[in-house]
Amino acid sequence: MAWPNPNEYLEALQNPQAVFSDPALRAGRVITDRLGLPRPISGNFAVVFQVETGGKTWAVRCFLRETTDQEQRYAGISRHLAAHRPDYTVGFAYQPQGIRLRGQWYPILKMEWVKGQRLDTHIETLATRSDRAGLETLSRRWGALMAQLRSDQIAHGDLQHGNIVVDEHGQIKLIDYDGMVVPSLAHLRSPELGHRHYQHPTRTSGGGITPENFLNIDNFSAWVIGLSIRLLHIDPTLWQQTAAGDDRLLFAERDFKSLRGAQQPTQPLQLLQTHAQPAVQQAVQQLAELARQESYLRVAPFSSADLLNGAVPLPLPPTTTPLDLGPEPTSAAPPARRTPPAQRPDSLPELSLIHI
């Protein structure tokens, strides 16, 4: 049986008291659109609704399909974040029996709602104002965050504008942990390949990830974001000149392939490659060298120092485990769906909510 689709969740959330198992969500108010219907935010794996209850606001992620080892993953992530307590994550609770539709219980993720701007909106605001000081601050904070992620032994798995929020105090928060990898989960096949406009062309499967290399999952996307901020700091008008913001920052999937020689450069990429400022050309050359590396798992970690001096870090040593370059999980035939058991919501333990 297929899992509920966004419209089914939307219809169900018109009456939260009847569908949620969580007492706070049952008593909550679902944020609606101008038509009075629950306002969904759709993603690849889930549809998200905003619920206000008890003076707090929650993001409720309702999953669109079953993901292998999902409960195990969130349990591992929960334990790891509780141990490290990073300030760039938000509290969440995975509820195996979270919402009832079609006479069945389905899981949800209850996550603290972050007030702020999505990364692309924040960057656009700074670029439009030609706020170079703001872009420099953002660049510095991005570098610090990438270093802290590695120190905390966390790979987010899908660094992109929609999963990054700049809060009211200018601090960067990461959301959406479906693809997150921590040491205890490094042996599992990744369920996520990341947003195509932020990923290295060789990231075509969830295999090949090991306890020795899992921290490298985010390296290329970290560079894509860091270089975009750097370029806009040099020339804020590039946001408009490259028609940025269309589900991306300055670069798109086709640009990465072009830099590897697989296709002709796009007009925005040509503009950057021939820019009057040498620093812009140098930054594009940095990205080109990274895109040409034989595996996304060999791209070196993001470095603010290398970013500023235009250095291209050497590729990391190859892993001892051969990379699995099989078909993408999103394009392959979906696995047989396992219908969630029709158990009472209190029959399985809920993961503890983490307050960061």
Side-chain angles (χ1 to χ4, degrees), residues 90-139:
V90 299
F92 71 88
Y94 179 79
Q95 300 178 358
Q97 306 291 310
I99 187 169
R100 189 172 178 83
L101 286 82
R102 309 168 172 174
Q104 301 286 340
W105 286 104
Y106 292 88
I108 63 169
L109 188 73
K110 176 185 175 185
M111 177 173 278
E112 292 180 5
W113 186 271
V114 182
K115 293 182 179 179
Q117 287 185 313
R118 223 170 59 168
L119 180 66
D120 55 341
T121 303
H122 185 70
I123 291 177
E124 180 179 13
T125 300
L126 295 175
T128 301
R129 296 175 180 170
S130 294
D131 186 352
R132 286 187 169 87
L135 288 163
E136 183 178 7
T137 297
L138 181 63
S139 180

Side-chain angles (χ1 to χ4, degrees), residues 197-220:
H197 293 325
Y198 294 80
Q199 296 302 320
H200 195 275
T202 64
R203 192 178 182 188
T204 58
S205 92
I209 297 170
T210 70
E212 292 74 33
N213 67 22
F214 79 93
L215 289 176
N216 301 330
I217 293 172
D218 291 333
N219 291 353
F220 186 76

Side-chain angles (χ1 to χ4, degrees), residues 21 49 68 144 177 182 186 204 262-263 274 281 306 321:
S21 64
F49 297 91
T68 304
Y177 307 150
V182 297
T204 58
Q263 58 189 55
T274 58
Q281 298 181 34
D306 287 340
T321 303

Side-chain angles (χ1 to χ4, degrees), residues 103 130 147 194 213 220 248 257 269 273 312 318 344:
S130 294
N213 67 22
F220 186 76
R248 61 182 177 89
K257 293 180 178 180
L269 183 59
Q273 290 173 320
V312 179
R344 291 180 57 82

Side-chain angles (χ1 to χ4, degrees), residues 238-249:
L238 289 175
W239 184 269
Q240 290 186 334
Q241 291 188 62
T242 62
D246 183 15
D247 203 30
R248 61 182 177 89
L249 296 181

